């Protein structure tokens, strides 16, 4: 279990480094980013290989296991956040973020509904971080959508708990979509958003945490959405021509850019959580609390929500490995 | 490609007249050869502070003002990030020592000449020339700033009275000519002594200009600019033994240049994958064989070294030899890949061995054996348990260099806390020394340091947790024939000499 936590921490640190590298003087250093991406991969592998207690898969609906209400300072440092098993935190945040995306979620209260029976609910963790985690998980779930669906998701049938399904969506909403969207938490068809693999936050994702509901629901729209690519909100970022970290779907363009597409795809795989780092505008207030990301100023590259091709292309190799972060 | 058009000359007054920069006390110290300390003990020759802009401006001032500025520099350690030394290199005779810094400047030190009346001063290095090699640039097309930091300096062997060196930043390599001028023409007809044009109608006689001695002046001129050949960041340059060509290596490609031709280069190694998503390794360092002009090696971020023969094909993507040591599975961690990335590769002077530096070790490889190194030295294995913290504070990405001594019997590399390590390959002894201001008395003998890893810390030992990771020795150089070493610690350059010498 400790490995998982450490892996989480390392993942978040790594993504922070990748983000910071964009604003460093002298341009993106290919070597360093490659090494960071390798660490990311290692951490993910450990994550996936470390068998976690299957509690994550428990049905969230109707059995709100209130995660320990612990004071979560919004700006908790990453390590702190890792004390607790991501999932409960995540869920809690989902709920928070969903109704009030702008508010730096104070997790505590809202935990109740649908809080997934956390396997080992210990910690506090940072609400936002949790949210991010959720978002990330959501994205991962998206990838896994179909599978989970079969896996007999505990989450309950369609449209069950509004909270959870919203959660990821909300988180995603955070991450990539225009602020405007945030007031519609319950939009079931956040499909555009749904597939945003924008990463709003370093993916501190617990693998299985999010309610299966999520995937399933995503399954409906998600997978479809995935295939459809990221519509509306995505479109805006997609239009952005410049990609620093992100690789053009076509793979290294002729133009000898200094590409770190490898890294970019990793990031896209990690899912929703990253857009906050990449986008110029931070959707809603929640972002400020995110650990580590000090400066969003330069995020000139509006999120490469490269949801379609690059993601799809990578979905196959990665999806098998991804077990729902 | 446009050749540089700058004809600027960087003139530096001869410091030998005005007193050395290097000696903090301002006066020569007695040569303490009496106190024997056994073989292999090192003494501090001098500590050099790269002059900052403040002091450069004051060069025209009188000596007193310069002394004041000197002491200001010395005592207050006034240094900006631009003064951080980023490369150190002796020339082929050891007479000159060049340093490059983050601000794009190159400072060349020259060894004090031996003289009867100043025998004590032998071995000290004084500033010989200073010039701005690279300026920050901005690539408007890609919206990238190009750092002016000097990544590497390599000397060319001396072929005439002038000295030539290559200096490079992330994108551009420049060939500089450093020459002395100690005569100047006087007696022009059309110009007067101040250079003003004379009215031709006032000229009644003609004379032949003559060369008269003047104060020695050292000037540096950029002779060639090799630009626009690298998409990624240049990490190495290496002069070929044919003295006609050299190579520059970036993360994914290596180019071969002819010194005379600046608008084209040959690409001899290209490891860029067609699909960048499949990128798994990058080139981290490259060097030509010291004697065989067709052979070179390059190291990768995966801990492998490839030796290539340019006679085999135009594009040396297929190596001739491949050096890799199987990974020890017991040491596997999240950071195994990072710490196996090679940060420096150096041929031995003999050309028989190569030495590689990764984060925790230095390895010596025999060119004839590819499956494992013949020697492995642990530089600071006590850091192995701290890799996660070092990853967080980015120290794990530090690129340490390594050097051979003139006879290939001792190797040296840097560490943290301003420590640097020497390993004697023959006796298998090693020593840890520190380059610190506390030991900065001239002729002070360096005391070996020790890092305590266990619980009980002896006196004089330093515990791992007390190490200062902001003080790192990344760049060192060893005189080609004598036991004189140059150690760069942030903005300080320490010159040490073997006491036995």
């Amino acid at each position: 279990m400790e490995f998982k936590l450490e892996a989480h921490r390392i993942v978040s640190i790594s993504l922070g480094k990748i983000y910071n590298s964009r604003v460093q003087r002298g341009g993106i250093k290919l070597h360093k980013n490659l090494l960071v991406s390798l660490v990311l991969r290692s951490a993910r592998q450990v994550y996936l290989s470390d068998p976690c207690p299957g509690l994550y898969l428990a049905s969230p609906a109707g059995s709100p296991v209130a995660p320990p209400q612990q004071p979560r300072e919004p700006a908790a440092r990453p390590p702190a956040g890792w004390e607790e098993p991501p999932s409960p935190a995540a869920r809690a945040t989902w709920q928070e973020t969903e109704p009030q995306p702008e508010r730096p979620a104070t997790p505590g209260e809202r935990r109740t509904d649908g809080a997934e029976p956390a396997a080992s609910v210990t910690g506090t963790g940072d609400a936002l971080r949790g949210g991010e985690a959720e978002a990330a998980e959501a994205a991962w779930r998206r990838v896994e959508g179909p599978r989970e669906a079969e896996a007999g998701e505990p989450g309950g049938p369609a449209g069950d708990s509004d909270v959870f399904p919203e959660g990821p969506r909300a988180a995603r909403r955070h991450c990539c979509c225009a602020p405007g969207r945030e007031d519609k938490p319950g939009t079931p068809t956040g499909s555009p958003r749904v597939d945003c693999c924008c990463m709003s936050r370093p993916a501190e994702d617990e693998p299985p945490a999010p309610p299966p509901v999520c995937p399933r629901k995503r399954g409906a729209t998600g997978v479809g959405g995935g295939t459809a690519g990221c519509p509306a909100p995505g479109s805006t970022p997609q239009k952005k021509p410049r990609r620093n970290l992100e690789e053009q779907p076509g793979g290294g363009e002729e133009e000898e850019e200094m590409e770190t597409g490898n890294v970019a795809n990793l990031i896209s795989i990690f899912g929703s959580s990253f857009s906050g780092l990449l986008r110029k505008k931070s959707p809603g207030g929640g972002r400020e609390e995110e650990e580590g990301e000090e400066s969003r100023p330069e995020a000139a590259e509006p999120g490469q929500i490269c949801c379609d091709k690059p993601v799809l292309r990578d979905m196959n190799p990665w999806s098998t490995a991804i077990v729902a972060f | 490609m446009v050749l540089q058009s700058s004809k600027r000359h960087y003139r530096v007054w001869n410091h030998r007249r005005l007193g050395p920069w290097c000696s903090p006390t301002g006066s020569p110290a007695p040569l303490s050869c009496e106190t024997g300390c056994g073989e292999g003990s090192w003494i501090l020759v001098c500590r050099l502070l790269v002059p900052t802009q403040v002091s450069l401006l004051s060069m025209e001032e009188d000596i007193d003002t310069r002394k004041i500025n000197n002491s200001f520099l010395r005592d207050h350690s006034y240094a900006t990030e631009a003064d951080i030394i980023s490369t150190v290199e002796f020339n082929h005779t050891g007479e000159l020592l060049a340093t490059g810094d983050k601000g794009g400047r190159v400072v060349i030190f020259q060894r004090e000449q031996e003289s009867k009346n100043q025998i004590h001063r032998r071995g000290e290095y004084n500033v010989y020339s200073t010039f701005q090699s690279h300026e920050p640039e901005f690539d408007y097309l890609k919206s990238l700033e190009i750092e002016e930091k000097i990544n590497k300096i390599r000397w060319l062997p001396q072929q005439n009275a002038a000295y030539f060196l290559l200096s490079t930043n992330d994108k551009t390599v420049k060939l500089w000519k450093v020459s002395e001028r100690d005569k100047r023409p006087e007696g022009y007809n059309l110009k007067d002594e101040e250079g003003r044009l004379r009215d031709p109608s006032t000229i009644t006689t003609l004379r032949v200009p003559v060369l008269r001695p003047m104060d020695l002046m050292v000037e540096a001129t950029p002779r060639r600019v090799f630009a626009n050949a690298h998409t990624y960041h240049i990490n190495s340059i290496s002069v070929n033994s044919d003295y006609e060509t050299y190579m520059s290596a970036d993360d994914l490609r290596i180019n071969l240049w002819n010194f005379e031709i600046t608008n084209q280069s040959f690409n001899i190694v290209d490891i860029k994958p067609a699909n960048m998503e499949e990128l798994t390794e990058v080139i981290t360092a490259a060097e030509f064989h010291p004697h065989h002009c067709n052979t070179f090696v390059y190291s990768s971020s995966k801990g492998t070294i490839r030796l290539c023969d340019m006679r085999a094909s135009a594009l040396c993507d297929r190596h001739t030899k491949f050096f890799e040591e199987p990974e020890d599975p017991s040491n596997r961690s999240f950071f195994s890949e990072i710490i196996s990335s090679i940060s420096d590769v150096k041929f031995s002077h003999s050309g028989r061995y190569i030495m590689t530096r990764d984060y925790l070790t230095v390895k010596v490889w025999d060119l004839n054996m590819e499956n494992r190194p013949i020697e492995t030295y642990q530089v600071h294995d006590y850091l192995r348990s701290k890799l996660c913290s070092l990853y967080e504070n980015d120290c794990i990405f530090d690129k340490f260099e390594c050097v051979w001594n003139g006879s290939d019997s001792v190797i040296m590399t840097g560490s943290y806390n301003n420590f640097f390590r020497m390993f004697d390959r023959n006796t298998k002894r090693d020593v840890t020394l520190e380059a610190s201001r506390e030991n900065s008395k001239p002729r002070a003998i360096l005391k070996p340091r020790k890092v305590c890893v266990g619980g009980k810390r002896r006196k004089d030992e330093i515990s791992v947790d007390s190490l200062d990771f902001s003080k790192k020795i990344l760049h060192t150089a060893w005189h080609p024939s004598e036991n004189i070493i140059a150690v760069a610690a942030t903005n300080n350059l320490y010159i040490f000499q073997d006491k036995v010498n």
Side-chain angles (χ1 to χ4, degrees):
Chain A
M1 196 54 190
E2 316 72 54
F3 295 126
K4 269 190 149 41
L5 297 180
E6 172 158 13
H8 265 241
R9 183 160 152 256
I10 289 174
V11 166
S12 69
I13 293 170
S14 304
L15 290 173
K17 285 189 195 301
I18 291 173
Y19 173 65
N20 288 333
S21 74
R22 309 178 74 222
V23 306
Q24 265 168 10
R25 213 175 153 234
I28 297 178
K29 307 258 187 306
L30 183 61
H31 184 201
K32 183 175 174 186
N33 279 288
L34 179 67
L35 294 177
V36 170
S37 71
L38 293 175
V39 170
L40 267 173
R41 257 185 249 192
S42 298
R44 248 181 70 254
Q45 277 166 5
V46 164
Y47 218 72
L48 305 172
S49 60
D50 195 7
C52 62
L55 299 169
Y56 289 123
L57 301 175
S59 162
S63 56
V65 169
Q69 311 284 330
Q70 318 208 0
R72 297 156 133 222
E73 49 300 359
R77 301 204 44 225
W82 291 126
E83 308 323 325
E84 73 169 306
S87 112
R91 313 192 106 260
T93 30
W94 277 11
Q95 296 150 34
E96 255 108 76
T97 56
E98 174 231 326
Q100 271 132 4
E102 307 73 47
R103 195 157 50 91
T106 21
E109 323 64 278
R110 336 258 340 321
R111 287 223 187 204
T112 46
D113 33 0
E116 191 161 43
S120 46
V121 179
T122 51
T124 15
D126 173 316
L128 296 188
R129 195 133 5 97
E132 292 255 29
E134 297 327 318
E137 291 185 30
W140 287 36
R141 301 241 122 203
R142 162 169 54 81
V143 171
E144 302 242 319
R147 291 197 195 169
E148 292 277 335
E150 287 103 60
E153 74 295 306
D160 46 322
S161 145
D162 324 14
V163 180
F164 294 116
E166 299 319 330
R169 221 195 316 278
R172 267 177 304 231
R173 216 178 334 130
H174 264 221
C175 61
C176 69
C177 310
R181 267 167 244 277
E182 296 175 31
D183 358 285
K184 303 189 267 185
T187 322
T189 53
S191 51
R193 275 169 260 143
V194 150
D195 292 328
C196 276
C197 45
C198 37
M199 308 174 219
S200 47
R201 184 189 268 239
E204 307 148 334
D205 324 320
E206 319 87 63
V213 157
C214 221
R216 196 182 47 61
K217 227 178 172 347
R218 305 228 23 164
T221 54
V223 175
T227 40
C230 206
S235 56
T236 310
Q238 280 167 7
K239 279 184 192 140
K240 296 293 171 120
R242 224 151 65 79
R243 294 161 166 248
N244 272 354
L245 283 187
E246 273 64 21
E247 164 94 336
Q248 286 296 341
E253 306 269 293
E254 350 355 44
E255 214 210 299
E256 294 288 76
E257 294 276 356
M258 272 179 53
E259 293 138 331
T260 50
N262 178 354
V263 168
N265 283 300
L266 268 183
I267 294 172
S268 64
I269 292 303
F270 281 128
S272 51
S273 307
F274 218 62
S275 79
L277 300 180
L278 301 178
R279 293 187 68 98
K280 190 184 322 206
K281 52 184 178 189
S282 44
R287 296 301 113 190
E288 281 63 50
E289 291 71 2
E290 286 162 17
E291 44 76 40
E293 304 134 45
E294 40 283 278
S295 49
R296 227 170 300 271
E298 340 280 320
E301 309 328 292
Q304 317 324 347
I305 335 284
C306 24
C307 8
D308 24 19
K309 286 205 209 142
V311 166
L312 286 185
R313 179 172 44 215
D314 298 310
M315 242 158 74
N316 285 337
W318 294 120
S319 61
T320 49
I322 295 174
V323 161
F325 227 50
Chain B
M1 317 226 17
V2 175
L3 233 131
Q4 100 309 339
S5 58
S6 162
K7 289 196 168 51
R8 284 181 297 171
H9 295 210
Y10 297 86
R11 301 205 169 98
V12 170
W13 294 108
N14 175 25
H15 293 261
R16 285 179 285 192
R17 297 289 191 90
L18 303 173
W21 286 89
C22 63
S23 170
T25 61
S27 59
L31 184 63
S32 56
C33 43
E34 316 76 276
T35 60
C37 251
E39 71 152 31
S41 56
W42 292 83
I43 56 174
L44 172 68
V45 173
C46 51
R47 177 173 72 91
L48 302 159
L49 266 174
V50 177
T52 65
Q53 290 303 315
V54 170
S55 52
L56 278 179
L57 285 173
S58 68
M59 264 194 295
E60 275 79 41
E61 296 165 21
D62 55 57
I63 296 179
D64 290 329
T65 313
R66 285 185 62 249
K67 275 190 182 157
I68 292 170
N69 284 334
N70 273 0
S71 59
F72 175 67
L73 285 174
R74 183 175 68 249
D75 298 337
H76 299 273
S77 192
Y78 175 73
T80 63
E81 177 166 328
D83 295 328
I84 295 176
I85 298 172
S86 52
T87 183
V88 188
E89 187 83 357
F90 279 101
N91 76 336
H92 292 264
T93 60
E95 182 203 357
L96 297 181
L97 176 63
T99 63
D101 63 25
K102 273 192 163 185
R105 242 179 350 163
V106 171
V107 181
I108 302 178
F109 301 90
Q110 185 182 45
R111 193 169 184 190
E112 189 69 32
Q113 296 305 317
E114 195 169 330
S115 64
K116 295 190 189 55
N117 50 346
Q118 293 206 338
I119 190 168
H120 310 305
R121 297 266 294 276
R122 166 128 172 93
E124 284 182 357
Y125 281 78
N126 306 328
V127 175
Y128 178 68
S129 174
T130 302
F131 56 92
Q132 186 73 31
S133 172
H134 286 74
E135 299 271 4
E137 288 172 37
F138 196 80
D139 182 338
Y140 295 100
L141 203 58
K142 301 176 193 168
S143 291
L144 288 179
E145 188 180 6
I146 300 171
E147 274 191 280
E148 68 276 27
K149 173 168 79 95
I150 307 293
N151 291 334
K152 283 289 188 311
I153 288 176
R154 289 289 181 263
W155 289 94
L156 267 66
Q158 193 172 7
Q159 291 170 307
N160 53 34
Y163 303 103
F164 287 87
L165 61 81
L166 284 175
S167 68
T168 184
N169 68 347
D170 283 340
K171 298 286 186 185
T172 304
V173 185
K174 294 188 184 179
L175 176 69
W176 287 89
K177 174 181 176 184
V178 182
S179 50
E180 297 181 0
R181 186 192 293 260
D182 61 357
K183 294 183 181 46
R184 71 159 172 259
E186 284 180 14
Y188 283 108
N189 292 295
L190 296 177
K191 289 190 292 189
D192 63 17
E193 295 310 315
E194 281 81 36
R196 290 186 298 246
L197 290 175
R198 292 168 68 185
D199 181 0
S201 59
T202 65
I203 299 173
T204 54
T205 59
L206 287 180
R207 53 188 177 171
V208 177
V210 293
L211 292 174
R212 296 207 186 282
M214 56 178 266
D215 284 348
L216 183 66
M217 197 168 67
V218 181
E219 43 184 29
T221 49
R223 303 295 293 176
R224 304 274 187 276
V225 176
F226 306 92
N228 299 336
H230 285 280
T231 306
Y232 302 93
H233 295 312
I234 297 176
N235 52 54
S236 312
I237 47 176
S238 177
V239 180
N240 203 348
S241 50
D242 63 8
Y243 303 155
E244 287 182 3
T245 56
Y246 76 93
M247 70 166 157
S248 56
D250 67 23
D251 289 323
L252 297 179
R253 300 194 176 96
I254 301 182
N255 293 333
L256 181 72
W257 300 84
N258 183 301
F259 281 112
E260 301 302 321
I261 301 169
T262 59
N263 60 354
Q264 44 176 317
S265 67
F266 288 101
N267 174 246
I268 52 177
V269 173
D270 187 342
I271 63 170
K272 182 177 181 198
N275 184 356
M276 277 297 276
E277 296 172 19
E278 295 157 17
L279 181 71
T280 54
E281 65 180 330
V282 297
I283 298 170
T284 52
E287 196 182 40
F288 268 117
H289 191 283
H291 311 309
H292 304 311
C293 56
N294 54 288
T295 305
F296 65 92
V297 293
Y298 67 91
S299 60
S300 83
S301 56
K302 275 189 173 174
T304 64
I305 306 105
R306 288 173 178 79
L307 183 141
C308 298
D309 187 334
M310 293 197 288
R311 298 171 299 187
S313 69
L315 190 61
C316 298
D317 278 357
R318 294 167 56 182
H319 50 263
T320 303
K321 293 198 188 210
F322 182 73
F323 300 86
E324 184 179 29
E325 182 176 30
E327 189 191 348
D328 180 3
S330 65
N331 277 339
R332 189 106 182 85
S333 76
F334 286 124
F335 311 103
S336 298
E337 282 125 341
I338 299 189
I339 63 172
S340 67
S341 174
I342 293 177
S343 53
D344 193 19
V345 67
K346 291 269 175 35
F347 270 103
S348 64
H349 290 92
S350 61
R352 169 105 190 258
Y353 305 101
I354 46 176
M355 167 168 56
T356 59
R357 174 74 155 98
D358 52 58
Y359 191 65
L360 296 178
T361 70
V362 186
K363 295 178 181 169
V364 177
W365 305 73
D366 187 319
L367 283 190
N368 299 317
M369 186 161 76
E370 301 172 45
N371 58 344
R372 62 178 178 84
I374 57 171
E375 295 155 28
T376 300
Y377 301 95
Q378 302 293 333
V379 180
H380 37 216
D381 201 58
Y382 45 79
L383 298 182
R384 198 178 285 274
S385 55
K386 305 210 174 296
L387 293 180
C388 196
S389 320
L390 295 166
Y391 178 71
E392 277 183 79
N393 62 14
D394 272 0
C395 282
I396 206 172
F397 301 105
D398 288 335
K399 297 198 173 136
F400 292 95
E401 292 173 8
C402 53
V403 291
W404 298 88
N405 74 337
S407 57
D408 298 336
S409 59
V410 183
I411 57 181
M412 174 170 71
T413 189
S415 178
Y416 293 103
N417 209 75
N418 278 353
F419 287 172
F420 57 98
R421 306 257 284 144
M422 287 186 201
F423 302 92
D424 189 320
R425 299 178 59 216
N426 299 326
T427 65
K428 299 302 178 197
R429 282 163 48 179
D430 62 83
V431 67
T432 304
L433 301 170
E434 181 180 2
S436 76
R437 300 186 67 199
E438 286 74 42
N439 310 333
S440 278
K441 256 181 29 146
R443 303 286 149 189
I445 295 172
L446 287 181
K447 202 175 56 174
R449 305 304 305 264
K450 192 149 163 46
V451 176
C452 130
V453 292
K456 189 139 172 48
R457 184 178 78 90
R458 281 199 285 243
K459 191 167 94 86
D460 284 354
E461 283 186 0
I462 182 165
S463 73
V464 180
D465 299 313
S466 323
L467 293 176
D468 186 345
F469 289 95
S470 66
K471 294 188 182 160
K472 49 192 90 167
I473 308 264
L474 302 174
H475 313 287
T476 59
W478 203 307
H479 190 286
S481 52
E482 296 183 35
N483 277 346
I484 299 174
I485 58 177
V487 176
T490 321
N491 64 320
N492 292 281
L493 184 70
Y494 292 84
I495 314 264
F496 299 106
Q497 190 173 352
D498 189 353
K499 214 178 147 315
V500 186
N501 197 357

